[in-house]
Amino acid sequence: MDISDEGTELDRRWVEVGNNVYGIVRGCRDASTVAECLVRAGWRSRSSSWHGYELEISWCQVEIDPIEGSEVLLNGVVDPDCFDELGGLLHRSGLGFSLELYDGDRALIREIRA
């Protein structure tokens, strides 16, 4: 997967928030499948390791890394008002996933599974 500088950078108000979204994307042998779906939707992408990617758009920034089997670990920061948008994007791409959204006190406030 090529690096994409096409999308928008993460809005500054989310830079210092810290991770608040965690998840697993199922049925992917590598992280490039997930990265390609997000890049097609206008996200920026860059390699973060041999097999991982950092992806961002104005309302979200995530790191994705493959784990054993056919799953990809996802974690980062998302504007809580856009949490459903992230889930919808993964769902429309035909990917199985589970996402969890946490508040500033690290309490689980929302969960999406598809």
Side-chain angles (χ1 to χ4, degrees), residues 31-32 35 45-55 63-66:
S32 66
S45 170
R46 64 187 149 272
S47 178
S48 62
S49 68
W50 283 104
H51 303 286
Y53 296 90
E54 181 179 284
L55 297 122
E63 291 268 347
I64 57 171
D65 290 289

Side-chain angles (χ1 to χ4, degrees), residues 17-30:
V17 168
N19 288 4
N20 67 351
V21 65
Y22 301 88
I24 297 283
V25 181
R26 295 179 300 278
C28 300
R29 299 219 51 87
D30 60 50

